[in-house]
Amino acid sequence: MNITQSLGRGAVSLLLLLGLPIPMQAQSSTDTLRLSMRGALEIGLERGTKLQVAQLEIRRADQDYRKSRGGLLPQVNLSGAYSNMLKKQRVYFDLEDGSSSSSPMSKFFPEDGIEMGQTHSIQAGVQAAVPLVAPQLWASLGLSARAVDLARERARGSRVAQRSEIRKAYLAALLAVKVHETLQASHRAIQQAYEQISQQYERGLVAEYDKIRMGTQEWNVRSELFRAQRSIDLAEMKLKTLMALPLDTPIILTEDLDSYASLLSPERLQQTEDIRLDQNTTLGELDGELAQLRQAIKLKRMAFMPTLSASFIYQYSFASNLFKLDNSRRWSPFSTLGLTLSIPLYSGGSRIYDLRSSRTQLEQLNLSRRQAELELDLALKAAKVERNSAFAQYSASRAALESAIRGLEIAQARYRVGESTLVELNDAEMALRQARLGCSQAIYSFMTALITLEQLEGREAIESEVWSH
C-alpha cells in the first residue's frame, strides 16, 4: 500500500512541512515513518475516524436545519390525473313502480334511464400552499439550530479527546522505549560483570555461587527485556491505531522522554493551577442537550397553538367521450384561493402528557449535569494531586539516581579488591536501575497529568505554553 495514498495529500504536505522523509517515488508500507509528537497529532487529527464521523454529524445536522427552514417557503406541486369510465352510471326519472315521476321532465327521458358522465376525464394543474401562522414550525427551526450547535460541541469534544489520547499514547511509547533502554544498559553491565566473574571463577578467584547468581540475574534482566520489547510493540500499535495508520507501518519516535524533564518545574505547576471547567467538553455537551431539550419543550407547547395557511389552485379539466385533446371547448380551467385555519382542541391528553414527560426529562438532565460537574471537579483535583505527586517523585528519583550512580561505583571498586560481596554489587546495580525507571515513570506521570488537566479544561490547540520545552 502506497504510504502517500494511505495518508492523503494533506497529510503528506504536512509531513513535508515537518521535515519527515516522504520521497517523491512510491513507497511501500515497509518504509519507516519518523514521528514527533506534533507530527503524530497532526496526522491523527486529520485522519481520525471519530473526528470524521463528528464532522459528518455536523453536516447532517446542518442539512436537517435547512430542511426545516424549507417548511417556511411555499410548497408548489404540479398534479395530473386521467380516468377512463368503463361503465357509466345511469339516472332514472320515474318511480320505482314504473309510474311517472311528479317531475314534468320525466316524460322526456327513456324508462331505462340515461347514462351520466364522459368516457375520458383529465385534470391537470398547479397547487401552492404557504404557512402564514405556524408556531410549531417556527419552534422546530430553533430545535434544528440547537442540534447543529450540539453537533459542533460534540465534534469539539472528539477533537479534545483524540488529542489527549494521541499524546498519552505517544508518551506511553516513549516510556516503553525508555524502559527498554534502561534494561539494555543494565543488561550490558550485568553481562560484563558475568564475563569478569566467569574469568575469575576459571582462575579460582571466586566461588561458583557468585557465577551462578550473576548468571541468574542476567537471565532475569533478559526476560524483562523481552517484556519491554513487547510493551513497545503494543504502545506503537495503539499509537498507529489512533493515527489511523496501518499496523504494519514501521515508525520511529524522534523524541526522547527525558526531553520533557525540563517541564517538571514549580513554574509549570503554577501554570496549570488555575485550570477551570468553564470550557469542559462534557459539560458543554450536556449544556447543548439541555438547550435542545428546552427548545423541544417549546416546540411541544406550540402544538396547542392554532395554525393558518394559504393555498392556491389553478387547474384545467377535460371531459369527453372522444379522446381528442385538441378540442378546446372541452378544456375548462378553474382556480381557487383559500385560507385554512386549524385550532387544536382535544387529543385525548396526549399533547399535555407528552409535554409533562419532556419536563421530567429536563429535570433528569439537570441532575445529571450537576453530578457530572461534581465528578469532573473530583477528576480535576485528582489530576492535580497526580501532577504534584509525580513532581515530588521525580525530585526524589533524581536524588536517588545520583546516589545510586555513586553507590554502584563504590560497590564495583570494593568488589574488585574483595572488600564487598556480589550481593552488595547486585543490590547497587538494581538500585541504579530502579532509580532510572523511577525518573522515567515520574516524567510520564507528570506529563499524563498535564494532558488530563488540559482535556478537562477543554483545550483544543495542539501547542500550548505548558508544553513548550
Side-chain angles (χ1 to χ4, degrees), residues 20-36:
L20 302 179
I22 302 294
M24 296 302 293
Q25 66 272 18
Q27 292 185 335
S28 66
S29 59
T30 59
D31 292 324
T32 301
L33 184 63
R34 299 176 59 85
L35 284 175
S36 65

Side-chain angles (χ1 to χ4, degrees), residues 13-22 34:
S13 300
L14 174 63
L15 295 177
L16 291 173
L17 291 175
L18 295 174
L20 302 179
I22 302 294
R34 299 176 59 85

Side-chain angles (χ1 to χ4, degrees), residues 266-281:
E267 292 76 17
R268 305 294 176 176
L269 294 176
Q270 187 60 39
Q271 287 179 358
T272 56
E273 189 62 35
D274 298 331
I275 287 180
R276 298 292 182 266
L277 300 175
D278 298 339
Q279 301 298 321
N280 181 267
T281 56

Side-chain angles (χ1 to χ4, degrees), residues 36-62:
S36 65
M37 179 178 286
R38 183 181 178 89
L41 280 171
E42 293 284 0
I43 296 174
L45 292 178
E46 181 181 354
R47 293 170 51 88
T49 304
K50 293 181 180 179
L51 302 186
Q52 295 178 16
V53 171
Q55 291 299 320
L56 291 176
E57 180 64 20
I58 295 177
R59 185 190 303 176
R60 187 192 65 81
D62 184 66

Side-chain angles (χ1 to χ4, degrees), residues 255-405:
E255 298 185 11
D256 185 86
L257 187 65
D258 290 340
S259 64
Y260 291 92
S262 60
L263 296 179
L264 280 76
S265 64
E267 292 76 17
R268 305 294 176 176
L269 294 176
Q270 187 60 39
Q271 287 179 358
T272 56
E273 189 62 35
D274 298 331
I275 287 180
R276 298 292 182 266
L277 300 175
D278 298 339
Q279 301 298 321
N280 181 267
T281 56
T282 300
L283 295 181
E285 290 180 23
L286 288 173
D287 290 339
E289 292 176 7
L290 284 169
Q292 191 178 35
L293 186 54
R294 293 190 186 99
Q295 188 65 31
I297 291 175
K298 182 179 178 181
L299 174 63
K300 293 178 180 180
R301 285 203 304 264
M302 293 299 103
F304 295 90
M305 305 296 293
T307 59
L308 179 66
S309 61
S311 61
F312 170 76
I313 298 176
Y314 187 86
Q315 190 164 336
Y316 271 88
S317 178
F318 173 86
S320 175
N321 288 323
L322 300 176
F323 195 72
K324 293 183 177 181
L325 300 180
D326 58 349
N327 190 348
S328 60
R329 293 181 66 253
R330 290 295 180 172
W331 288 98
S332 56
F334 70 94
S335 61
T336 62
L337 179 64
L339 295 174
T340 301
L341 177 65
S342 176
I343 303 177
L345 295 179
Y346 181 69
S347 62
S350 61
R351 284 192 294 264
I352 190 168
Y353 283 110
D354 188 24
L355 181 60
R356 290 176 180 176
S357 175
S358 296
R359 286 173 175 168
T360 302
Q361 186 179 359
L362 181 62
E363 293 178 7
Q364 292 176 323
L365 194 54
N366 273 315
L367 291 175
S368 299
R369 206 265 183 199
R370 288 183 211 153
Q371 181 63 28
E373 190 171 6
L374 291 174
E375 292 175 358
L376 288 170
D377 189 59
L378 174 61
L380 181 64
K381 289 180 171 58
K384 290 182 178 180
V385 170
E386 177 67 19
R387 176 204 59 188
N388 296 337
S389 175
F391 180 77
Q393 179 187 351
Y394 179 74
S395 300
S397 297
R398 286 294 301 174
L401 178 60
E402 295 176 0
S403 177
I405 292 174

